[in-house]
Amino acid sequence: MNTQTALRLGVNIDHIATIRQARGTSYPDLVEAVRIVEEAGADIITLHLREDRRHIQDRDVEVLRERITTGMNLEMAATEEMQAIALRIRPEACCIVPERREELTTEGGLDVLGQEARLKAFCAPLLAAGIEVSLFVEPDLAHLDAALRIGAPVVELHTGAYASAAPGPDREAHLERIVAAAAHGHARGLVVNAGHGLDYENVLSIAAIPVMHELNIGHAIVARALFTGIGEAVRAMRAAMDRARR
Ligand code: PXP
């Protein structure tokens, strides 16, 4: 291993809820999914309570708070409603993301430069409650410096542009930005995570970044689970990440 600590895997379970919501059934059962995902080696369970409740529901957050044994990473927008929910539920971690109703998925990092004062005020009560606050940001040095000023201990680097670029110089350039941002943040004391669009192939270069602490991955794992089952899909991602660090 070329790193002191093992790379953590956060499994995002939103799309298990997406399948349930598509038909308004009681299945697939998120509690059972979490049990299997944790047994298969997830280090934390990530769920995004969106303003439009398109997948995860308020009740899921309540129920899973009792049933998750690793840790809950609640993804949410910086709204008063979400702040109140987080302060009541007290997840181990909160990842603050931008949200637009019409987007298919989180489409960009937070505007940490334009919203610095607002985000600082928003994060303060969460930090005071002992919640590990993470800001989802573009891999951009100025954004990391803003995250530091805001007082967030953790950043999650948005890997979406890297993940959607075709292999070649464009993707390499995106990777270099992520590597540089991770080094910049780590050197200044930030815990550096990453996520969005990672799959079983493009995860390798991101997992190989020695200072990377945790990757949050959902879509690729849930999609593979259709063929292999969710436990095997998590184990395969864990194995790919471990291989990249050897
Ligand atoms: N990290 C953040 C902040 C996200 O918003 C998402 C998507 O909900 C993910 C990670 C996981 O992305 P994906 O589902 O593409 O693996």
Side-chain angles (χ1 to χ4, degrees), residues 13-14 17 20 29-35 38 45-48 56-72 74 89 92:
I13 60 167
D14 293 348
R20 182 193 63 193
D29 178 11
L30 294 194
V31 169
E32 179 61 0
V34 162
R35 188 189 66 73
E38 290 189 323
I45 303 295
T46 299
L47 50 157
H48 185 176
I56 298 294
Q57 305 296 304
D58 296 66
R59 171 116 189 96
D60 294 326
V61 180
E62 308 268 351
V63 169
L64 291 173
R65 186 70 194 111
E66 304 299 317
R67 304 302 287 270
I68 289 173
T69 61
T70 49
M72 174 187 278
L74 184 62
I89 296 285
E92 278 72 20

Side-chain angles (χ1 to χ4, degrees), residues 12 14 75 95 97 105-106 136 156 195-197 216-219:
N12 180 313
D14 293 348
E75 254 188 52
C95 182
V97 299
T105 178
T106 318
F136 187 51
E156 181 169 323
H196 212 283
N216 279 300
I217 308 178
H219 181 75

